[in-house]
Amino acid sequence: MFFGGMLLVGVTTAAQAQDVHPATLGTAGQHTTAAESHEGLSQQAIEVWRIFGFPITNSMVVSWITAIGLIVFARIASRKMKDVPGGAQNLWEWLVESLYDFLRGIIGGHLVERTFWFFATLFIFILAANWVGLIPGVGTIGWGQQTSHGFKISQPLFRGANADVNLTLAMALVFFASWFIWALREVGPIGFIKELFAAKGESTGALRVLLAVVFFAVGCLETVSILFRPVSLSFRLYGNTFAGENMLETMGKLVPGYGWLLPVPFYFMELLVGLVQAMVFMLLTAVFTLLICQHEEPGAVAEHA
């Protein structure tokens, strides 16, 4: 599942390389960037290295670490399958089976067989990336300088992967391309156009003409909505993750001397937020897919409403 799904991570590398200011080496031997002048987490990922002229940002580092960790865990869990699972295999099978049954109850058996690999990869990767971003050291290890208030990190080596809009937008764009392919496979080009613009229901005479005009206008609005879905999906995930990391950083600096204690309750809240955001992203993409392909199983939505 992950070998196909990790395409999501690969696509982000090109996107994340954009909109970042190259880091320069100061006279004191420290990296300096434009983000140093801002308090709190910078809105854009910071370049930490260049490999053959290709910029590597701190969010890319975390996304790669997360992806590699998931691949290694999946390989370990499925390397020696046993009839009575235990340890890593038991956890992996429980997670995969739970996600499969959950999605089948929402989009139906036919669609889940074709799309489960994608939706499960989305959920597991987003959840893991959100939780990895909460590990102590993410955002607090890197380059900086000594100030009157102590050592200040100006260029963190690690940054929460989903706190970079380039990653969330890349995942949303990959879904948009996959959604279009799935729709064409399920309903065909003509069926796709009918699903958007054709009048629904039975009618005759003038009412039929009126409904055709109304549904065509609705189809135009739906087309605009579809084009904006990648933006809404990406900014929803990015905004919640970015706000959460900023809140933790603010709590850590609020009371001098107790920066290690004050954010602890908020860490538990962010663990829940990370789970919720992964679930929301997966559910929205699954429902968008069902809406264009629901004619295959027209009773799926009604049965599980």
Side-chain angles (χ1 to χ4, degrees):
M1 176 180 65
F2 278 99
F3 291 105
M6 284 307 113
L7 172 64
L8 298 176
V9 181
V11 171
T12 65
T13 59
Q16 287 177 304
Q18 304 298 322
D19 301 329
V20 294
H21 296 287
T24 58
L25 192 63
T27 56
Q30 296 175 331
H31 291 282
T32 58
T33 67
E36 292 181 19
S37 60
H38 300 282
E39 292 294 333
L41 185 67
S42 62
Q43 292 186 358
Q44 60 187 20
I46 298 174
E47 180 184 326
V48 293
W49 296 300
R50 275 186 176 266
I51 299 179
F52 302 110
F54 186 80
I56 306 299
T57 65
N58 48 7
S59 65
M60 290 168 64
V61 174
V62 174
S63 66
W64 289 346
I65 291 174
T66 303
I68 293 172
L70 289 174
I71 292 173
V72 171
F73 179 78
R75 293 295 298 172
I76 293 175
S78 59
R79 182 175 52 186
K80 296 180 180 179
M81 303 294 288
K82 300 178 181 179
D83 293 335
V84 181
Q89 181 186 343
N90 191 33
L91 174 62
W92 192 247
E93 288 188 0
W94 169 80
L95 178 60
V96 172
E97 289 177 3
S98 299
L99 285 174
Y100 188 88
D101 293 338
F102 179 72
L103 286 170
R104 182 173 57 184
I106 295 175
I107 64 177
H110 174 72
L111 279 179
V112 79
E113 288 179 0
R114 296 195 173 192
T115 61
F116 175 72
W117 63 272
F118 181 85
F119 296 136
T121 299
L122 270 183
F123 174 81
I124 295 173
F125 175 76
I126 293 174
L127 177 63
N130 285 340
W131 285 358
V132 167
L134 299 177
I135 296 176
V138 176
T140 58
I141 296 177
W143 297 271
Q145 59 276 336
Q146 190 69 33
T147 66
S148 58
H149 300 286
F151 192 81
K152 178 182 178 182
I153 298 295
S154 58
Q155 185 181 1
L157 177 61
F158 304 109
R159 174 194 177 100
N162 291 323
D164 183 0
V165 71
N166 292 308
L167 174 62
T168 60
L169 180 59
M171 290 190 292
L173 290 175
V174 171
F175 161 70
F176 184 77
S178 301
W179 173 88
F180 189 73
I181 294 172
W182 293 331
L184 292 180
R185 286 182 177 179
E186 291 296 315
V187 300
I190 296 178
F192 183 84
I193 295 174
K194 286 184 177 180
E195 192 71 28
L196 291 178
F197 299 103
K200 310 300 188 294
E202 297 292 335
S203 58
T204 58
L207 181 59
R208 183 182 183 89
V209 176
L210 177 61
L211 286 178
V213 174
V214 170
F215 276 98
F216 179 80
V218 171
C220 293
L221 295 177
E222 180 67 15
T223 301
V224 175
S225 174
I226 290 172
L227 294 176
F228 273 94
R229 282 175 185 174
V231 178
S232 63
L233 283 171
S234 60
F235 275 90
R236 181 184 291 106
L237 178 58
Y238 160 73
N240 282 279
T241 306
F242 180 79
E245 294 197 6
N246 262 311
M247 179 189 66
L248 292 176
E249 186 170 349
T250 301
M251 291 297 103
K253 298 177 179 178
L254 194 60
V255 180
Y258 293 91
W260 60 273
L261 179 62
L262 195 59
V264 171
F266 296 93
Y267 267 96
F268 290 100
M269 185 182 72
E270 285 303 308
L271 287 173
L272 179 60
V273 170
L275 174 63
V276 170
Q277 290 305 314
M279 184 67 69
V280 168
F281 198 100
M282 180 189 69
L283 282 177
L284 287 176
T285 54
V287 170
F288 290 154
T289 303
L290 174 64
L291 290 177
I292 199 65
C293 304
Q294 62 183 340
H295 74 285
E296 291 287 341
E297 294 181 342
V301 178
E303 291 175 6
H304 304 281

